[in-house]
């Protein structure tokens, strides 16, 4: 097998990598020129044949999603770019936007051509100030060079990109919450169906794609679907629902490691390889107790599960919700899982939009129970209560509109099932992780 050649991060260390001049010197916008010589249907078919799966968390095939748009719709049709990168531990979109923005803009233009859209909204997390400035400059460069606007490259294709800054809410990463926010409303996810491909932004057909997904589109046009499928993991023949995990993937590594960062590797690398070979091992000579495979909403891998392949199929076999964003967070063996889970629950409780009662109340009560345990007043039956609450929240049990609730419940289910001894020891020993002042503020008693 040939050595893996990074493509998504290939240019980020070059001088002036964000400038149009250097991007074009490296062959940039050649993929768009190629796409414009094809029919929109042929571009869609190429991406569909690559089996590119969305990199934002759900893993739905991007090309297949494009085919869900109504045939011969008079328009307008919109593309929304989900750059609301809010999952804790996830920062690969920020790197792509700040260090190689034209790779993304080219992918946006190709996708818009394929779906016959003349307007794309790039929804950016508010805290990403540098990303905003870099993207704004890159978009202006494209207008000046005739790569955006009217009659792009003399093809008759028109495209405008609107750069929109969100108000810094985790729920806006959910595609219908993002759409509601773009429309100027509270970001409450919509009941589906109808799905956005039928009725999305301003009630028009809309495709929502992630930043990394669209960057992959640029390279699929350049190199072909067979190149993309030569990387990664083919479908499991024993699992008819597995579509395979093809292409390169950006893995973020953070937490208790010696060298946190972002690396590009073929899908399917194990957590152990990421930690030992790419992150310099667990810090301070310690061992890993737990690993978050793809953002905290995916749950935890235990130390015995570090050889789990981090593809779209692997983490699920280990009881996690999925690959998520492939943001790996390492927890060392000196850290209490009670404290880790408390931080997860506190985050999810703060970020719940409050629309669905099981999520609004469930995340809040799970946080309060863990606050009581951390104050030294926990009871063994608290663990069963936490499990019961977590088991009643989410789309999977059918009690909420969106998947945030499933993501809020999963780390609770995983932590208590895989690390129950940690919780029992913590409660029986009467340990405390909070000061008296924190206890007073939290109202624990």
């Amino acid at each position: 097998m040939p050595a893996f050649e990074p493509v998504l991060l290939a240019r980020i260390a070059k001088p002036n990598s964000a400038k149009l001049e250097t991007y074009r010197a490296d062959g940039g916008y050649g993929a768009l020129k190629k796409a414009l010589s094809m029919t929109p249907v042929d571009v869609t078919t190429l991406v569909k044949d690559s089996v590119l799966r969305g990199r934002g968390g759900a893993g739905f095939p991007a090309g297949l999603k494009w085919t869900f748009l109504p045939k011969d719709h008079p328009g307008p049709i919109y593309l929304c770019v989900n750059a609301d990168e809010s999952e804790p531990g996830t920062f690969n979109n920020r790197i792509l936007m700040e260090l190689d923005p034209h790779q993304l803009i080219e992918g946006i233009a190709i996708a818009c051509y394929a779906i016959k859209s003349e307007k794309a909204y790039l929804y950016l997390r508010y805290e990403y100030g540098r990303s905003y400035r870099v993207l704004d400059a890159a978009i202006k460069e494209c207008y000046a060079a005739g790569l955006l606007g009217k009659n792009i490259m003399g093809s008759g294709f028109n495209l405008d990109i609107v750069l929109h800054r969100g108000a810094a809410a985790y729920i806006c990463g959910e595609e219908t919450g993002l759409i509601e926010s773009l429309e100027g409303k509270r970001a409450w996810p919509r009941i589906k169906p109808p799905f956005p491909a039928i009725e999305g932004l301003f009630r028009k057909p809309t495709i929502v794609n992630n930043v990394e997904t669209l960057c992959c589109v640029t390279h699929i046009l350049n190199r072909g679907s067979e190149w993309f499928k030569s990387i990664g993991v083919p479908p499991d023949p024993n699992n008819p629902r597995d579509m395979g995990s093809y292409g390169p993937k950006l893995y973020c590594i953070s937490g208790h490691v010696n060298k946190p960062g972002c690396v590009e590797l073929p899908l399917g690398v194990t957590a152990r390889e990421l930690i030992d070979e790419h992150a310099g091992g667990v810090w301070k000579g310690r061992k890993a107790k737990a690993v978050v495979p793809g953002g905290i909403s995916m749950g935890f891998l235990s130390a015995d599960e570090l050889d789990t392949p981090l593809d779209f199929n692997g983490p699920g076999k280990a009881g996690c919700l999925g690959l998520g964003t492939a943001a790996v967070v390492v927890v060392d063996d000196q850290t209490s899982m009670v404290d880790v889970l408390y931080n997860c629950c506190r985050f999810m409780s703060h970020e719940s939009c409050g629309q669905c009662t099981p999520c609004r109340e469930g995340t809040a009560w799970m946080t309060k129970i863990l606050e009581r345990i951390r104050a030294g007043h926990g009871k063994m039956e608290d663990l069963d209560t936490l499990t019961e609450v977590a088991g009643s929240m989410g789309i999977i049990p059918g009690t909420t509109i969106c998947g945030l609730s499933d993501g809020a419940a999963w780390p609770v289910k995983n932590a208590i099932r895989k690390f129950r001894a940690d919780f029992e020891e913590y409660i029986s020993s009467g340990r405390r992780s909070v000061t008296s002042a924190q206890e007073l503020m939290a109202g624990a008693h």
Side-chain angles (χ1 to χ4, degrees):
M1 180 178 292
F4 175 69
E5 175 193 359
V7 291
L8 297 170
L9 300 182
R11 299 187 63 259
I12 64 169
K14 292 187 175 183
N16 299 315
S17 62
K19 295 293 185 183
L20 176 59
E21 180 183 2
T22 63
Y23 187 68
R24 297 194 89 166
D26 290 333
Y29 290 99
L32 176 59
K33 184 177 181 180
K34 181 180 179 181
L36 295 177
S37 70
M38 302 164 64
T39 67
V41 171
D42 286 343
V43 174
T44 299
T45 300
L46 179 64
V47 175
K48 185 180 175 185
D49 289 346
S50 73
V51 200
L52 165 64
R53 297 176 66 172
R55 273 28 181 177
F60 194 83
L64 181 62
K65 181 188 275 190
W66 295 357
T67 67
F68 292 164
L69 291 166
K71 306 299 179 190
D72 302 320
H73 191 277
I77 293 171
Y78 296 115
L79 174 72
C80 292
V81 182
N82 189 344
D84 191 60
E85 185 174 52
S86 304
E87 184 73 31
T90 308
F91 46 87
N92 57 35
N93 287 186
R94 177 167 59 83
I95 292 171
L96 293 170
M97 292 187 290
E98 294 181 359
L99 298 177
D100 200 359
H102 287 287
Q103 177 183 211
L104 170 61
I105 294 171
E106 188 171 12
I108 293 171
I110 294 167
C112 284
Y113 177 72
I115 65 174
K116 301 179 181 178
S117 171
E118 295 189 350
K119 180 165 284 188
Y121 289 87
L122 205 168
Y123 189 101
L124 181 65
R125 176 179 176 177
Y126 185 82
E127 296 96 324
Y128 281 5
R130 184 185 173 194
S131 297
Y132 175 81
R133 293 187 292 275
V134 171
L135 284 168
D136 185 51
I139 289 170
K140 287 175 179 172
E141 282 186 308
C142 287
Y143 275 108
L147 296 168
L148 288 176
K150 301 293 184 184
N151 194 25
I152 295 171
M153 295 184 180
S155 65
F157 172 55
N158 307 321
L159 176 62
D160 290 311
I161 296 180
V162 178
L163 187 55
H164 179 90
R165 300 180 79 176
Y170 178 79
I171 195 61
C172 292
E174 199 278 341
E175 60 180 10
T176 59
L178 182 153
I179 288 170
E180 288 283 301
S181 175
L182 264 178
E183 292 180 352
K185 295 180 284 187
R186 186 173 181 174
W188 275 5
R190 297 176 179 172
I191 294 173
K192 299 175 276 291
F195 289 93
I198 304 300
E199 188 176 298
L201 183 63
F202 307 127
R203 304 296 169 182
K204 299 297 181 182
T206 302
I207 294 295
V208 183
N209 282 146
N210 160 269
V211 168
E212 187 182 349
T213 307
L214 290 166
C215 289
C216 285
V217 167
T218 298
H219 297 287
I220 290 169
L221 261 291
N222 262 331
R223 297 171 180 242
S225 60
E226 291 306 313
W227 162 80
F228 195 77
K229 291 173 69 175
S230 71
I231 302 167
V233 182
D236 180 354
N238 298 315
N239 181 1
R241 300 182 64 182
D242 182 20
M243 296 170 281
S245 302
Y246 294 118
K249 183 76 190 79
L250 299 184
Y251 291 93
C252 301
I253 315 171
S254 61
H256 298 155
V257 293
N258 287 311
K259 194 175 66 174
C262 177
V263 294
E264 180 179 352
L265 294 166
L267 270 164
V269 66
T270 67
R272 190 183 306 281
E273 181 182 338
L274 277 174
I275 296 168
D276 293 342
E277 298 184 21
H278 301 282
V282 182
W283 73 350
K284 301 179 182 179
R286 297 175 182 171
K287 296 180 179 178
K289 174 187 283 186
V291 171
V292 173
I296 60 172
S297 57
M298 295 298 108
F300 301 98
L301 297 171
S302 69
D304 294 333
E305 296 168 335
L306 297 186
D307 293 316
T308 300
L310 298 182
D311 55 32
F312 288 107
N313 204 26
K317 292 180 178 177
C320 295
L321 187 54
L323 176 64
T325 61
V328 172
V329 182
V330 177
V331 179
D332 73 20
D333 59 359
Q334 303 298 305
T335 301
S336 165
M337 289 305 294
V338 175
D339 292 339
V340 173
L341 187 60
Y342 169 69
N343 280 334
C344 295
C345 288
R346 186 177 60 166
F347 173 83
M348 290 297 183
S349 177
H350 183 270
E351 296 298 334
S352 172
C353 76
Q355 184 175 197
C356 304
T357 302
C359 182
R360 181 184 66 243
E361 297 297 322
T363 54
W365 279 106
M366 291 193 300
T367 304
K368 290 175 182 176
I369 291 171
L370 285 160
E371 282 174 349
R372 189 171 68 233
I373 293 174
R374 293 178 78 241
H377 304 299
K379 304 172 184 176
M380 288 300 175
E381 52 262 40
D382 285 340
L383 303 182
D384 296 328
T385 303
L386 284 168
T387 303
E388 181 183 352
V389 174
S392 64
M393 297 165 44
I395 289 179
I396 294 173
T399 60
T400 62
I401 292 172
C402 85
L404 182 143
S405 195
D406 298 276
W410 221 265
V412 178
K413 296 176 188 175
N414 262 193
I416 294 179
R417 181 167 60 83
K418 297 183 179 183
F419 304 96
R420 191 177 183 98
D422 271 34
F423 286 83
E424 291 180 346
E425 186 278 331
Y426 194 105
I427 293 171
S428 62
S429 67
R431 286 172 59 190
R432 295 162 57 93
S433 297
V434 294
T435 64
S436 299
Q438 288 173 320
E439 184 180 357
L440 182 64
M441 291 294 291
H445 54 81

